[in-house]
């Protein structure tokens, strides 16, 4: 090859998978970039052969109840809780989706646990039955042996120091960069609520005192962080379990 031909050879671009994934995650979480999510899904499918992902979002009803309980003394607490839930609904769903994808991917690639689950599956199903099944133990809560195995899997996740640190870092980062900012400016998003004024014969109606103090906003921020930490972890566990089950079934397709 001549020197001129060498000069026109295209340079190979090397990508760091971890850095690329982190960048796409943050673009989706922080900016709501749907294209970043699609690229991320493609990367997962290519590298980990993930198929049939069905995320299931945690309802914000429990958060609304927590907020109402925290602001039990506040007028219009129901409306405040509804406004906050509406404000952060998409943000929470995005984070839960990412946690589901990560848990599913990890479950699909956990060879040791997949092998052990396959051994259990063969105790309850024949090989032809496994070929024809669309689900395994995804939603089964009646078999005691499967329940013990699932609890053991969950315990292993909790005992994984690397996962725990990474998970806490992700929740803290998202809370700091996205949710805290919205809580700080929550007062500007609160709807006005008109109430009957029983204490005055002249003014029959008055506006409720729904303005939140700095202390109340801080308390709401802490409560939201705890909610996100708890419920996103539940979604990760569910996704991990689904990934294990899908990988077992994939061996018979």
């Amino acid at each position: 090859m001549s020197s001129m031909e060498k000069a026109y050879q295209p340079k190979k671009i090397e990508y760091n998978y971890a850095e690329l994934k982190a960048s796409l995650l943050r673009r989706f979480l922080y900016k709501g970039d749907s294209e970043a999510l699609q690229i991320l899904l493609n990367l997962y499918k290519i590298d980990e052969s993930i198929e049939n992902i069905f995320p299931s979002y945690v309802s914000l009803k429990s958060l609304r109840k927590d907020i109402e309980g925290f602001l039990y003394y506040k007028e219009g607490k129901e409306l405040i809780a509804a406004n906050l839930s509406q404000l952060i609904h998409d943000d929470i769903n995005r984070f839960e989706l990412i946690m589901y994808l990560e848990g599913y991917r990890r479950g699909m690639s956990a060879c040791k646990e997949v092998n052990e689950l396959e051994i259990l599956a063969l105790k309850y199903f024949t090989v032809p039955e496994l070929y024809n099944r669309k689900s395994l133990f995804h939603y089964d809560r009646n078999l005691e042996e499967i329940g013990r195995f699932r609890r053991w899997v969950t315990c292993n996740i909790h005992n994984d120091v690397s996962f725990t640190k990474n998970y806490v870092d992700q929740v803290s980062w998202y809370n700091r960069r996205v949710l805290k900012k919205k809580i700080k400016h929550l007062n500007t998003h609160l709807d006005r609520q008109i109430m009957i004024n029983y204490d005055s014969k002249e003014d029959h109606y008055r506006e409720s005192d729904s303005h939140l103090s700095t202390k109340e906003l801080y308390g709401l921020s802490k409560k939201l962080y705890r909610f996100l930490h708890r419920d996103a972890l539940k979604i990760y566990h569910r996704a991990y379990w689904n990934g294990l089950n899908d990988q077992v079934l994939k061996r018979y397709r």
Side-chain angles (χ1 to χ4, degrees):
M1 183 182 294
S2 67
S3 58
M4 183 174 293
E5 288 176 325
K6 290 181 180 180
Y8 283 97
Q9 286 297 309
K11 295 182 179 179
K12 291 183 179 180
I13 301 175
E14 296 184 359
Y15 293 99
N16 183 307
Y17 179 80
E19 291 180 3
L20 178 60
K21 189 187 78 169
S23 175
L24 291 169
L25 282 173
R26 299 201 172 191
R27 277 173 55 189
F28 174 65
L29 288 173
Y30 188 48
K31 299 180 180 179
D33 188 338
S34 59
E35 289 186 2
L37 175 63
Q38 188 58 54
I39 296 171
L40 187 62
L41 286 171
N42 290 337
L43 285 175
Y44 278 161
K45 287 177 181 178
I46 293 171
D47 293 350
E48 303 292 347
S49 300
I50 291 179
E51 299 172 352
N52 301 324
I53 294 176
F54 299 103
S56 176
Y57 299 122
V58 169
S59 172
L60 290 177
K61 288 183 180 179
S62 59
L63 176 60
R64 286 199 293 269
K65 290 181 180 179
D66 284 350
I67 295 170
E68 291 174 17
F70 175 72
L71 300 173
Y72 68 93
Y73 56 87
K74 197 81 172 175
E75 283 186 342
K77 57 182 177 291
E78 294 85 1
L79 186 60
I80 294 173
N83 286 161
L84 176 57
S85 297
Q86 184 178 14
L87 182 65
I88 63 173
H89 184 269
D90 290 341
D91 300 312
I92 296 294
N93 278 355
R94 282 198 298 271
F95 191 79
E96 289 178 349
L97 175 57
I98 289 300
M99 285 297 103
Y100 188 94
L101 292 173
E102 189 65 19
Y104 189 87
R105 183 181 70 87
R106 292 286 182 87
M108 288 281 285
S109 59
C111 293
K112 179 182 177 182
E113 292 169 346
V114 170
N115 290 341
E116 293 184 22
L117 183 60
E118 183 179 11
I119 292 172
L120 289 175
L122 289 170
K123 292 174 64 175
Y124 295 95
F125 305 104
T126 64
V127 171
E129 285 176 329
L130 288 175
Y131 272 107
N132 295 318
R133 289 192 68 84
K134 293 183 178 180
S135 66
L136 193 57
F137 303 116
H138 295 69
Y139 314 107
D140 196 310
R141 301 197 180 267
N142 298 320
L143 296 173
E144 183 179 346
E145 187 175 23
I146 301 303
R148 284 199 305 270
F149 179 74
R150 185 169 183 173
R151 289 191 293 273
W152 175 76
V153 169
T154 300
C155 185
N156 285 345
I157 294 174
H158 281 287
N159 291 335
D160 186 337
V161 177
S162 177
F163 163 76
T164 301
K165 181 182 182 304
N166 182 61
Y167 178 74
V168 171
D169 286 346
Q170 278 189 283
V171 174
S172 298
W173 176 86
Y174 196 60
N175 181 59
R176 184 174 64 255
R177 292 293 299 271
V178 178
L179 301 179
K180 264 189 174 182
K181 292 180 180 180
K182 293 197 172 183
I183 295 295
K184 183 179 179 180
H185 300 288
L186 178 59
N187 282 317
T188 62
H189 296 276
L190 294 179
D191 294 329
R192 295 174 61 189
Q193 186 172 16
I194 304 300
M195 305 181 70
I196 298 175
N197 190 355
Y198 294 102
D199 299 326
S200 175
K201 294 181 179 180
E202 296 180 358
D203 298 326
H204 299 292
Y205 302 98
R206 65 180 178 83
E207 188 174 337
S208 65
D209 180 22
S210 58
H211 183 84
L212 297 165
S213 66
T214 301
K215 183 178 180 180
E216 289 169 335
L217 291 172
Y218 177 74
L220 284 175
S221 183
K222 288 180 64 177
K223 185 163 287 293
L224 181 56
Y225 173 80
R226 289 195 293 269
F227 169 84
L228 184 66
H229 187 282
R230 180 186 69 241
D231 287 277
L233 188 58
K234 288 180 182 178
I235 284 180
Y236 182 93
H237 288 159
R238 186 185 309 132
Y240 192 99
W241 178 248
N242 288 347
L244 291 178
N245 280 268
D246 283 353
Q247 185 69 303
V248 171
L249 289 177
K250 189 178 177 182
R251 292 177 175 181
Y252 295 86
R253 290 172 183 163

